[in-house]
Amino acid sequence: MNRDGSKFRQLAQRSWQPFITNGSSTASRDQLPWHTYLLGQRGAQNSDYIYVQDRIYSSSGEFLYTNVLRLNTVTGRTSGSIARPGDTVAWMLDNDGEPRLTTTREKGGSNNIFYRDPNTNDWRKLTDFERYTGRGGGFRPFAFGKNGTLYVMHTAPGTDTNAVYSYDVASGKLADKPLVNLEGYDFSGQLIFDKDKLLGVRHLTDAWGTTWLDPAMQAMQDKVDKLLPNTNNLLTLPSRPESPWVLVSAYADIWPRRLMLYNSETGKLRMISASFPNIDPNQMGRKELVHYKARDGLSIPAWLTLPKGGGKNLPMVVLVHGGPWVRGGSWEWVPAVQFLASRGYAVLEPEYRGSTGYGGKLFRAGWKQWGLKMQDDVTDGTRWAIEQGYANAKRICIAGPNYGGYATLMGMIKEPELYKCGVEWAGITDINLLYDGSWNYRSDMSDDYKRFGMPALIGDQDKDAEQFKATSPLLRAAELKQPLLMAYGGADVRVTPAHSIKFSKAVKATNPNVELIEYEDEGHSWKLPQTRVDFWGKVEKFLDKNIGDH
């Protein structure tokens, strides 16, 4: 309901169909187009006006740039767009809710950061960097604070990781010391404000946590932690400081997330909701961050989960995360991992080179290493688990989605004695298919990423043609002899059905122990409950048959 007591009204039209409200037809011209979205906005929100972003696409569906419009939420009318300094792809509002910073996409593969002067509204370039590798430039904008203070992420001196600094826009200088510097981790998180005061910093190391700068908030955190001693407890403050209610998100590696309300006046907690409420934490396996050395000496982080009660010489699933240019996991309850651990399997999740969040060295070491050193990291992690006594060398299966599916196939091909079986879903089966697709399937991979991102991160189709042949599961399908379970979504526009069709045909020509599951209504990940039940039920039977205690 609006502030004046009137009913909610629809502002954006998400389909091409006429919208009906209050018994009368509202012409589509009275609705904002479907590509209009909210911007994150802090502040009191006591005005009828907000800023929204209007994402502009080409006729072929390629994202071009984003406009910012000033919208009256009562009338539904916009007052025109903010002048752009180029093809803007991201906007940042300042502490007063005004468009103050924007990122533009340049044709040469770089991004520029522009600052909008509050006195003249003129744009001024602050820095630039390569769009997909992140090379170049001195910092990345993060958030605005009091009096226009800009907080940025910058590599801390003497380290390999990004830290948070304050940045003086007028002088163009960083603060001498970082506000937040997490040893061994790139900063990921948010600043927590109360009006104009910075109260604390939410951040991710092995798990999410909060460093409170405000003594009163630290005291409140201590009280909540005393009430909930077995979980990691994240506090979210109310938008209006006069409210006594604080949202608490509580979780652990063996405990799915629960939401509660904490009353700061009475000191009482009240449950709101619980994810997976039927899960018994006493039956779950503990999750631990470990490190091992790759064959070239690089330190590789990995997540190790053992079944309830631990154990040695266990059957193991090496679960390779997708992406691959993402962080794979953190200390939390993960359904797939606990499903496997509850069936008696140790689970190893390597944060192989190319993974993000652990510093630039690990990320950069993965460039152009699909099927090569990235694959070796997974192999070396598997052998480490055997040497440590966690895994039975004769009962190991490799598995994963997307890039993890690619690594599953390459792992089985390159290490036939190490992996007794494999499970992959939505897996990439050939790098050239990512570039070219096929005549009857169109991928949603952008032309921009294919032109600037993939050549730098994965490899160039012409210059690295021989490498692509050597690291193609599709071209090496005849070498894969172990049992394999594959699953793909019929509506997947990222890894299109061409990957599964071509590879399954090639591998089945020499391997009778291959099963392909097709879920017609699924995309790049499983969304339907019946799909997840069916898929993981099949995985359970497949693992039991090949490495289980059958």
Side-chain angles (χ1 to χ4, degrees), residues 105-164:
R105 185 169 64 180
E106 305 304 313
K107 294 181 179 179
S110 65
N111 283 1
N112 292 339
I113 304 296
F114 286 91
Y115 174 78
R116 183 169 174 249
D117 190 287
N119 297 314
T120 65
N121 286 334
D122 293 333
W123 290 102
R124 174 162 56 93
K125 181 179 174 180
L126 299 183
T127 189
D128 59 63
F129 55 91
E130 290 183 6
R131 184 150 49 249
Y132 296 103
T133 65
R135 289 182 296 201
F139 60 84
R140 303 292 180 274
F142 175 55
F144 277 102
K146 184 179 180 180
N147 298 327
T149 302
L150 177 62
Y151 295 96
V152 301
M153 288 185 287
H154 173 71
T155 302
T159 75
D160 185 46
T161 55
N162 285 332
V164 177

Side-chain angles (χ1 to χ4, degrees), residues 232-252:
N232 191 27
N233 309 305
L234 307 177
L235 309 185
T236 300
L237 302 181
S239 298
R240 297 183 179 276
E242 59 269 22
S243 171
W245 297 105
V246 175
L247 184 68
V248 179
S249 178
Y251 74 95

Side-chain angles (χ1 to χ4, degrees), residues 368-386:
K368 293 189 176 184
Q369 292 300 312
W370 283 42
L372 302 174
K373 290 183 179 180
M374 291 169 73
Q375 196 67 47
D376 291 342
D377 290 347
V378 178
T379 301
D380 295 343
T382 306
R383 297 194 186 283
W384 170 86
I386 295 171

Side-chain angles (χ1 to χ4, degrees), residues 316-324 328 336-337 340 347-350 352 375 378 397-412 419 421-429 483-488 492 495 524-526 535-536 539 542-543:
M316 184 173 75
V317 176
V318 181
L319 191 58
V320 187
H321 72 74
V337 173
L340 296 170
V347 182
L348 182 71
E349 303 172 85
Y352 50 82
Q375 196 67 47
V378 178
C397 186
I398 185 171
N402 189 266
Y403 172 84
Y406 168 89
T408 293
L409 300 176
M410 283 304 301
M412 297 174 73
Y419 301 115
C421 60
V423 180
E424 66 96 349
W425 57 106
I428 297 159
T429 62
L484 172 65
L485 180 64
M486 306 168 60
Y488 287 80
D492 192 343
V495 178
H524 194 53
S525 60
W526 312 149
F535 174 71
W536 287 104
V539 170
F542 178 84
L543 293 176

